[in-house]
Amino acid sequence: MSYAQIPLDHFKDTFSTAIELSSVALGGKVVSVSDEFFAEAFHLLLVEPAPSLKGQFGPKGALFSGWETRRHNPAYDWCIIKLGTTGSISGFDIDTSHFNGNEAPQASVDVLFSADDDSAPHVDDPRWEELLPKVNLGPSSRHLFTVPPSKGVNYVKLNMYPDGGIARFRVYGLVAPVFPSATAMEFDLAHVFSGGRVVYTSDQHFGVGSNLILPGRGKDMGDGWETKRSRQPGHKDWAIIKLGDAGHLSQVEIDTAHFMGNFPESCEMHALHTNDLVPSDVPEDDWTLILPRTKLGPHRRHFFQLENVAHAAYTHVKITIYPDGGIKRVRVLGRRAVPINAANGDAQAAHPIDAIEADVGSGAPSAHHPDGAPSSPAAGASPASASARGAVIPAVPLTPEAFAPFGKVVQAYAGPNGVPNPRTTRVTGANQGTATKFHKLALLESSYPVGSGASAGLSVYRCKPIDVQPGGEWEVKLLERHPCTNQAFIPMGGAIGPEESEAGVVGDALADPGRAYLVIVAQNGADDKPDLGTMRAFVASGGQGIVYDTGIWHHPMAVLHKTMDFTCVETQIGNGDKLDCEVVDLDGAKGYLRVKVPA
């Protein structure tokens, strides 16, 4: 088997676009080992570099962060590792850091594929194939090797001759992507298990860009992407992600978990269709803006509907942060443009190991068009034809940052560091220490003419659920606005009594109130009607209130699945005057826009 040893200073050029298939962050794990007397083999797969434990001793001797076996092995020691996911292997990093005088003198690597429902392979399994032949190792150093890309495998066997210590073992290659069986199903095209790769970062001083597409939300700031502090005005950092396949994009999730004092002030996202693996030199004008610059908050998942994506398939996205900071994960939801075996009518390859494709993915053609949520005449509504279907808008979880162009979110937070603007939002203790007060999350507004007779007050709305099932779509046929006041809706709780009437209430309170509602909003257009191209939909929880800014178009309250009560805070005249509320019936001649409700 051929191989090449790579100088350490060529690591970036060789492995920067590969995936560390063995990493514990992907689910890599040690399944069996011949011996681990001095240091346990699980250390091999840890994300962090091996620290020096010089001078520290345990019951069995000096401590090391790595795998170390007994002396005097007449044959060799071995460690069987299950990779985090099936993939094609192209190289290894065998690291003997801090093992000096007790390092493994030589090593080799065998590989095989075994179905997930089979038991883990044994050391003498006849399916093992040598991928890296016996190579020499030195003390306290990293040893990089490349090999011809293997077929899809999910187990490796690291052999050391005859015994000794290895600090870290990293297996690099490409993931065999796992796609949904239904071509129309949306999924995370950027996820590492979908074949996504971070192929470029402007800076990764504190945390590497490849962390952005890992599973889960991580454990601390160390497993996110974090750049160094900038000191020059106008600075920005960015990362480019190659999607697992060309796809039609819908929404993005940007997670700042654990980044509370160092999250970016804002971000934006662009997309591109290209056959280049690393489009770092593509002119800025060739990238399509799919998420305008938007503020981010600390330690939370942010969800955004994307723009300019309805009629284009993209292969890459670029996340740009201002001016610097840390992001934990980026999830890009969409559907694949072309199935792998489209000619045969198959939604995906018969097995993930058959799905390792060339770097360019499906190569689906791209046509750049304006956003697929076109502006339509808002007034003079016409009946929708039987076959007309409007564009679909995803209802994303409500966050203060995504809702900011339309109003405010009123809710409590886990702590003072979780508020949207930690530097300016006042958070104090209250009620003799039994409460936390988040001050003035929204202010009341009123611009009624003097003498109009408008007054502020509280009202209660009991809202029945709309007719839509989980995962279904719901047509938006009208919008309203309040020209002279903002308007707040705060969900109310249920009853505590043991008795329930036929109407589902105890006394006058709801016995089992709903827990979620839709918030549908749009900006005002140049024609003083709703700009449907700006329409957005959110799913709010029972723990979140909303405040519509003055003049923002919105749908009346749309409760999901169960009846809910709301306190409404507003200023109004109360006589039906248009200064209180203006309602517009939307034009359905080409189909009403539809909100996609989460399953």
Side-chain angles (χ1 to χ4, degrees), residues 22 24 48 85 110 138 156 216 254 325 339 370 383 410 412 425 429 538 545 560 573 577-578 585 590:
S22 56
V24 67
E48 61 271 17
T85 186
D110 302 323
V156 298
I254 298 173
V410 179
T425 302
F538 303 92
L560 294 173
I573 301 171
D577 195 295
K578 280 193 174 183
D585 292 319
K590 297 182 180 179

Side-chain angles (χ1 to χ4, degrees), residues 23 61 65 187 232 308 360 424 427 479 499 551 558-559 585:
S23 173
S65 179
F187 66 105
Q232 296 186 2
N308 304 318
V360 297
T424 58
V427 182
L479 294 173
E499 297 179 359
V559 168
D585 292 319

Side-chain angles (χ1 to χ4, degrees), residues 144-325:
L144 307 180
F145 303 96
T146 59
V147 295
S150 73
K151 61 183 181 182
V153 299
N154 59 349
Y155 285 91
V156 298
K157 179 162 66 78
L158 173 62
N159 309 302
M160 71 160 94
Y161 305 90
D163 50 51
I166 296 174
R168 296 290 187 269
F169 176 57
R170 308 195 189 279
V171 180
Y172 293 101
L174 299 183
V175 167
V178 178
F179 299 130
S181 57
T183 306
M185 183 179 295
E186 288 193 346
F187 66 105
D188 181 8
L189 284 159
H191 198 286
V192 63
F193 290 164
S194 301
R197 286 188 276 170
V198 176
V199 296
Y200 182 85
T201 54
S202 62
D203 180 274
Q204 47 184 4
H205 188 83
F206 293 110
V208 297
S210 57
N211 289 332
L212 289 172
I213 58 174
L214 292 179
R217 301 188 69 201
K219 59 184 178 62
D220 54 36
M221 288 188 296
D223 54 13
W225 171 51
E226 186 181 2
T227 68
K228 60 179 173 287
R229 294 190 186 221
S230 61
R231 301 302 184 186
Q232 296 186 2
H235 183 82
K236 62 183 179 181
D237 283 310
W238 64 95
I240 298 176
I241 301 172
K242 182 187 181 300
L243 304 177
D245 201 3
H248 298 287
L249 312 183
S250 170
Q251 55 184 287
V252 65
E253 174 188 338
I254 298 173
D255 191 353
T256 56
H258 304 113
F259 291 100
M260 288 180 279
N262 49 354
F263 62 95
E265 180 272 336
S266 58
C267 74
E268 65 186 10
M269 181 172 282
H270 294 76
L272 179 74
H273 189 287
T274 179
N275 289 334
D276 295 335
L277 173 62
V278 187
S280 56
D281 297 327
V282 172
E284 287 289 331
D285 291 345
D286 287 358
W287 289 89
T288 299
L289 181 67
I290 60 174
L291 177 68
R293 185 169 174 177
T294 304
K295 281 189 172 294
L296 294 177
H299 189 55
R300 85 170 117 264
R301 299 165 69 189
H302 306 75
F303 301 88
F304 303 103
Q305 177 185 331
L306 298 176
E307 303 178 2
N308 304 318
V309 293
H311 302 289
Y314 296 108
T315 58
H316 294 70
V317 297
K318 178 171 66 172
I319 177 70
T320 303
I321 58 174
Y322 294 90
D324 51 48

Side-chain angles (χ1 to χ4, degrees), residues 39-40 43 46 49-51 53 63-67 97-99 166-168:
E40 293 177 276
H43 292 102
L46 296 181
L53 302 177
L63 299 180
F64 287 89
S65 179
W67 172 42
S97 290
H98 311 299
F99 286 99
I166 296 174
R168 296 290 187 269

